[in-house]
Amino acid sequence: MVDRVADIWGTRTAFARGERWPVRVDLKLADGVAEADVDRWVTSACVLCSNGCGLEIAVKDGEMVGVRGRATDVVNHGRLGPKGLFASWQGVRNGDRLTRPLIRVGGELVPTDWDTAMNVIVERSKRLLAEKGPLTHGFYTSGQLFLEEYYAQAIVGKAGIGTPHMDGNTRLCTATAAASMKESFGSDGQPGSYSDIDECDAMFLYGHNMAETQTVLWMRVLDRLAGPNPPRLVCVDPRETEVARQAEVHLAIRPGTNLALMHGLVREVIAQGWIDEDYIAEHTIGFRELGDIVQPWTPERVAETCGVDAEDVRRAARIFGTSDRVLSTVLQGFYQSSQATASSCQVNNLHLLRGKIGTPGNGILQMNGQPTAQNNREAGADGDLSGFRNWENPAHVQQLADLWGVHADKIPHWAPPTHAMQIFRYCEQGSIELLWVIATNPAVSMPQVPRIRRILEQESLFLVVEDLYLTETARYADVVLPAAAWGEKQGTFTNVNRTVHLSDKAVEPPGEARSDLDIFLDYSRRMDFRRDDGRPLLDWTCPEDAFRAWQECTRGRLVDYTGLSYEKLRGGTGIPWPCNEEHPDGTDRLYGDGNFPTQFDRAESFGHDLLTGATVGPLKFRALQADGRAILKTAAYSPASEAPDDEYPFLYSTGRTVYHFHTRTKTARSRQLHKAAPSAWVELSVPDAERLGIEEGDLVRVASRRGEIVVPARVGDVREGMVFAPFHYGYWDQGRSGPGDRPTAANELTETEWDPVSKQPILKAAAVRIEKVADGVGPAPAPTTTASRPADPAGVPPTVGGPEAEVEERPWITEPPSVPDEKDAR
């Protein structure tokens, strides 16, 4: 038994390049429950990060009582991370779950029945549509629903109501992943595979604290590092994360200077001749323009701008330029910083310059942060057109009109889809009068939350919240709908590397809670949305009906699901799309043939100017004549919008801790995870702490031009001049919607700025000041097991979980024959 709070990544199972990752099955059951007591095991996958680990849910007496990693799954080979082991089932089966709808009466939320709640919504919706039209409606959803639910929502919003105001909290975490792939390759869809970890000679992690955000994927890396011929590791991160500790080169750059660093790496690879000129000539366009822009970025200029050593820039470029097989991963450190899309495109450019894409060990993973963020983008609940279609291509709009049985003009495509930041601006201005928030908590997670709270409480806004718990956001709602959770409903979802899993229903939801799909279908029926031929717009009766409709939507597209089925997905492992007649077992990697979806009729996007965000448009895109070639592009570097000054001398960045997910609505309800990181803190460097007279655990005030937080200080391993805060900590566990006299939410300080292309908020570059408020009464509540470890561990108790965090890890002596071979079968 292993304490998986203290030992986050568990026991090592070393393996060499080219070998298959050994199986290790992780098992956690409720206290007093033995494996023999389990009535049945139900097929599913974890939904507490974007990795998508296959698992089975243990059910006893109609309740979820634990989980077991699935040995045969290509994603995790039996392993599970702490959030999956403890919070996946504990986080949804609690006494404070919403079990009945609530409506606001006399300023208070009171219980009611479903007919009353839905009639209140439908009456308001019909009146607004009749009096003012579809632009009065907005939807803000999640990366937590199932594919079938996103597709239903997309159809209701686009073909039922006709509103372009649809987005998800995926805008906050991985909109840039999609944008960068559209700009470089013509379409969303990860080129790489997790199995590239097994094959690579070098790994570059750009702004990606994999050790805390995708723990099982990091286990795979650790097992390669523990084996023969380990890959060389390069880490770009201003904090000394566990990734940085394992890295051969750690580039601890100043927040907001990502593009300057990337220009330097691209320049060095070109200057040293580490490029594949034949591949560039045959499979890319834009090489000359790229070279001109990066030419001034010598290692010395990068060092001056980014605050790193010039020789480290050269070392990193040399590793990339001379390694035979290179894998790159990218996450929030790039996505939530200034010039996010331009910076992320440079990762794509590096691989294209060397032709290192789509073959074993040569891959790009523009990571997601959430378990079903990929499905939100695929299905179009984020505003994109369903099935990776292009809103600027009339033929693509017509395809959806034919599928949904409506006139093409019903589907909003006269302007770009409205992104989340603009949706809340329209709410603020009063043009959106009905906002439906689903499985997300913007009162804590959006930037500049004091402003967001003011918007949510406006009398002019009718707010519907659909969730598991009474979150901070739900407390502002006019109607609250109790939703069924993971394990209480059926559906599919897709992870970072396109692997589709089926999650079967294990138990009944509590009380009157309903699945999100049932709620959308009920709303569509009550609104009487119909196709042009008079039939109901949505005539589905179950999730599998929705899945079959989705398959038709994807037919012939890159994101082709037509070869999948619920039965096939019960075969012991997830399957990566495209899966169709040509690829009946799925597709492990994309673009190995150098053919990219940049043809006019295939492209999901015609691209943008990476500096201004202006669309290229169909005429200029045709003139590019990309025609199946990738596009090398960048923009001139510009400093972050807010820089430190005399009044606010520190750079502020937010992020995650390994023990929590988003605003803790699930993870804080796991005893093991809550104990490991119970409340908020802020991190600063040793020199800064000494200069300010701040010691470990002292209460400090961190203030920006927009707000402040008052939390204990962790004196740790962050870059000098930088302050870091985890963004998970709001106020629901104190029974409040806002801070009262003790603000702790990291986004009290962040600014309302976003990338011009992906529209992703800039959450990692704000100017702040910090001051001591009171002496500490003990160490900060930050864990000691991760990047938040104290610089001086003396007097700081180590983070442990104790007996309740012990997990059984079962190594396989011989590899079970049912494990698919990623290299051959895919």
Side-chain angles (χ1 to χ4, degrees):
M1 303 288 280
V2 179
D3 180 341
R4 290 293 299 280
V5 165
D7 187 355
I8 296 165
W9 307 285
T11 307
R12 298 280 58 75
T13 53
F15 70 112
R17 192 186 81 175
E19 294 179 352
R20 183 181 291 146
W21 189 25
V23 169
R24 186 194 84 198
V25 175
D26 294 350
L27 169 69
K28 180 61 181 176
L29 295 173
D31 293 343
V33 177
E35 227 174 332
D37 300 329
V38 176
D39 297 332
R40 58 195 176 96
W41 295 90
V42 179
T43 297
S44 188
C46 183
V47 292
L48 284 170
C49 82
S50 62
N51 210 54
C53 298
L55 58 74
E56 296 164 314
I57 304 169
V59 179
K60 175 177 168 56
D61 299 330
E63 292 292 330
M64 291 187 281
V65 294
V67 289
R68 178 176 68 190
R70 193 160 58 226
T72 55
D73 200 277
V74 295
V75 169
N76 56 316
H77 294 211
R79 292 163 185 77
L80 296 172
K83 291 191 285 288
L85 286 164
F86 304 124
S88 58
W89 53 287
Q90 292 181 29
V92 299
R93 304 299 278 185
N94 286 276
D96 59 343
R97 277 286 297 276
L98 292 169
T99 59
R100 294 183 62 190
L102 306 173
I103 59 172
R104 190 167 295 279
V105 178
E108 300 293 327
L109 287 171
V110 298
T112 189
D113 58 82
W114 274 97
D115 273 343
T116 300
M118 293 303 293
N119 285 340
V120 169
I121 296 170
V122 168
E123 180 183 343
R124 179 65 65 98
S125 189
K126 285 184 173 180
R127 177 165 61 80
L128 287 172
L129 289 175
E131 294 177 0
K132 299 183 179 180
L135 298 183
T136 55
H137 285 55
F139 290 87
Y140 184 58
T141 186
S142 174
Q144 304 284 304
L145 307 187
F146 288 161
L147 166 62
E148 294 82 354
E149 295 166 335
Y150 290 126
Y151 190 44
Q153 185 195 349
I155 296 175
V156 165
K158 291 176 170 63
I161 296 170
T163 179
H165 304 328
M166 303 181 70
D167 205 354
N169 65 11
T170 50
R171 184 66 56 188
L172 310 184
C173 61
T174 50
T176 302
S180 66
M181 289 184 285
K182 292 177 191 178
E183 297 298 326
S184 297
F185 311 131
S187 177
D188 195 350
Q190 297 292 344
S193 165
Y194 292 165
S195 60
D196 287 329
I197 293 172
D198 310 349
E199 303 286 345
C200 67
D201 300 312
M203 278 192 68
F204 281 65
L205 292 92
Y206 299 95
H208 182 196
N209 183 9
M210 185 192 289
E212 297 193 54
T213 55
Q214 283 86 19
T215 53
V216 173
L217 202 60
W218 183 240
M219 295 175 204
R220 196 167 190 156
V221 175
L222 288 176
D223 287 348
R224 269 298 315 273
L225 293 174
N229 49 58
R232 305 174 76 180
L233 225 62
V234 176
C235 170
V236 179
D237 198 306
R239 300 166 74 211
E240 191 178 288
T241 63
E242 294 303 307
V243 176
R245 286 190 159 194
Q246 295 285 343
E248 179 178 341
V249 180
H250 175 206
L251 295 165
I253 65 173
R254 291 190 183 100
T257 64
N258 295 330
L259 186 58
L261 171 69
M262 295 309 298
H263 279 172
L265 293 177
V266 170
R267 180 198 180 278
E268 190 71 5
V269 166
I270 294 173
Q272 299 301 328
W274 295 322
I275 60 175
D276 186 333
E277 294 182 357
D278 291 340
Y279 188 94
I280 293 169
E282 186 173 354
H283 298 295
T284 74
I285 62 172
F287 176 67
R288 180 177 298 177
E289 294 86 346
L290 174 67
D292 289 344
I293 293 176
V294 303
Q295 180 56 37
W297 287 95
T298 63
E300 287 71 25
R301 184 177 178 187
V302 171
E304 181 182 355
T305 301
C306 301
V308 295
D309 190 273
E311 186 53 37
D312 284 342
V313 177
R314 290 189 177 92
R315 289 171 62 206
R318 188 178 303 114
I319 292 172
F320 194 97
T322 61
S323 295
D324 185 47
R325 300 179 181 185
V326 187
L327 171 64
S328 293
T329 70
V330 194
L331 198 57
Q332 313 295 33
F334 271 38
Y335 299 163
Q336 293 179 342
S337 293
S338 57
Q339 297 190 281
T341 304
S343 301
S344 300
C345 282
Q346 302 323 296
V347 178
N348 301 338
N349 288 345
L350 282 169
H351 281 263
L352 292 167
L353 289 170
R354 295 204 63 218
K356 300 296 183 183
I357 186 169
T359 56
N362 289 314
I364 303 166
L365 293 171
Q366 296 278 357
M367 299 293 293
N368 299 335
Q370 294 187 78
T372 71
Q374 189 66 45
N375 300 121
N376 193 321
R377 304 196 315 243
E378 293 168 3
D382 66 344
D384 288 342
L385 291 189
S386 306
F388 291 171
R389 287 176 173 84
N390 189 338
W391 67 271
E392 290 187 284
N393 189 330
H396 287 191
V397 179
Q398 188 60 53
Q399 289 167 13
L400 292 179
D402 293 342
L403 280 168
W404 300 340
V406 298
H407 193 280
D409 289 345
K410 180 71 173 181
I411 301 170
H413 62 282
W414 55 86
T418 313
H419 60 93
M421 306 298 286
Q422 194 65 51
I423 286 174
F424 280 90
R425 177 63 173 149
Y426 289 153
C427 293
E428 186 174 41
Q429 293 173 327
S431 62
I432 290 180
E433 299 184 48
L434 189 158
L435 180 65
W436 197 322
V437 176
I438 305 144
T440 188
N441 194 12
V444 177
S445 59
M446 285 285 283
Q448 200 177 343
V449 290
R451 171 178 172 261
I452 297 299
R453 291 192 293 265
R454 291 194 297 270
I455 293 170
L456 294 175
E457 66 186 1
Q458 287 180 183
E459 287 293 327
S460 60
L461 182 66
F462 184 82
L463 180 64
V464 179
V465 173
E466 187 176 319
D467 216 321
L468 310 182
Y469 295 102
L470 193 65
T471 63
E472 291 89 339
T473 302
R475 292 175 182 273
Y476 290 102
D478 296 283
V479 180
V480 179
L481 302 177
W486 171 91
E488 300 166 357
K489 59 183 181 179
Q490 184 185 49
T492 57
F493 55 95
T494 307
N495 73 349
V496 170
N497 74 334
R498 298 171 283 100
T499 301
V500 185
H501 284 99
L502 172 68
S503 183
D504 274 323
K505 183 177 179 178
V507 298
E508 292 297 323
E512 300 174 23
R514 296 180 179 179
S515 76
D516 299 282
L517 178 62
D518 286 342
I519 293 171
F520 297 148
L521 294 179
D522 187 27
Y523 172 73
S524 181
R525 179 183 60 78
R526 291 173 187 264
M527 291 293 292
D528 198 27
F529 291 139
R530 293 187 176 273
R531 299 162 66 98
D532 287 349
D533 63 7
R535 290 183 294 153
L537 181 65
L538 294 177
D539 59 0
W540 311 332
T541 60
C542 65
E544 200 162 5
D545 288 346
F547 185 78
R548 293 191 186 103
W550 168 248
Q551 287 180 292
E552 287 307 308
C553 183
T554 67
R555 187 178 296 277
R557 302 297 299 165
L558 178 65
V559 56
D560 198 329
Y561 277 63
T562 55
L564 295 172
S565 67
Y566 276 23
E567 194 57 38
K568 192 169 185 174
L569 291 171
R570 293 190 182 102
T573 182
I575 300 171
W577 60 255
C579 181
N580 48 29
E581 289 185 1
E582 185 180 355
H583 305 285
D585 295 316
T587 307
D588 200 27
R589 299 175 182 86
L590 300 179
Y591 312 135
D593 59 358
N595 183 21
F596 300 90
T598 55
Q599 298 89 348
F600 188 88
D601 61 341
R602 293 182 66 201
E604 183 187 0
S605 171
F606 294 142
H608 300 79
D609 181 294
L610 298 188
L611 185 63
T612 67
T615 58
V616 172
L619 293 178
K620 289 185 178 179
F621 184 80
R622 280 191 189 275
L624 289 174
Q625 297 182 315
D627 297 332
R629 292 175 293 174
I631 302 171
L632 299 167
K633 62 194 311 184
T634 190
Y637 168 75
S638 60
S641 59
E642 187 168 83
D645 56 24
D646 291 342
E647 187 177 3
Y648 298 96
F650 292 93
L651 271 171
Y652 177 74
S653 180
T654 68
R656 301 173 186 263
T657 183
V658 69
Y659 300 111
H660 285 303
F661 192 64
H662 285 200
T663 60
R664 303 176 300 129
T665 48
K666 295 177 184 177
T667 51
R669 289 176 168 91
S670 158
R671 297 186 309 276
Q672 299 91 334
L673 301 181
H674 176 70
K675 177 183 173 184
S679 56
W681 70 91
V682 68
E683 299 171 24
L684 71 162
S685 72
V686 173
D688 290 331
E690 291 176 347
R691 189 164 51 252
L692 295 169
I694 295 170
E695 296 183 357
E696 170 67 32
D698 283 351
L699 195 65
V700 299
R701 176 180 290 107
V702 185
S704 74
R705 291 176 173 85
R706 292 157 293 279
E708 67 178 31
I709 56 174
V710 181
V711 294
R714 165 54 47 89
V715 181
D717 296 320
V718 299
R719 181 189 171 91
E720 189 173 352
M722 176 185 169
V723 177
F724 173 87
F727 80 93
H728 312 287
Y729 297 93
Y731 312 103
W732 63 260
D733 48 348
Q734 302 163 43
R736 302 199 308 264
S737 60
D741 60 357
R742 184 72 180 274
T744 59
N747 283 315
E748 303 283 351
L749 283 66
T750 48
E751 62 176 338
T752 303
E753 291 286 341
W754 55 85
D755 179 74
V757 179
S758 68
K759 315 303 183 187
Q760 185 157 349
I762 300 170
L763 299 172
K764 294 189 180 294
V768 299
R769 61 172 178 255
I770 183 168
E771 61 182 352
K772 180 177 174 178
V773 173
D775 290 341
V777 295
T784 64
T785 49
T786 66
S788 297
R789 74 187 81 78
D792 180 2
V796 181
T799 301
V800 296
E804 67 178 0
E806 290 183 345
V807 171
E808 184 174 353
E809 297 180 346
R810 295 176 177 171
W812 288 75
I813 305 304
T814 58
E815 191 173 302
S818 54
V819 176
D821 188 322
E822 292 101 328
K823 292 177 291 183
D824 300 330
R826 301 285 174 246

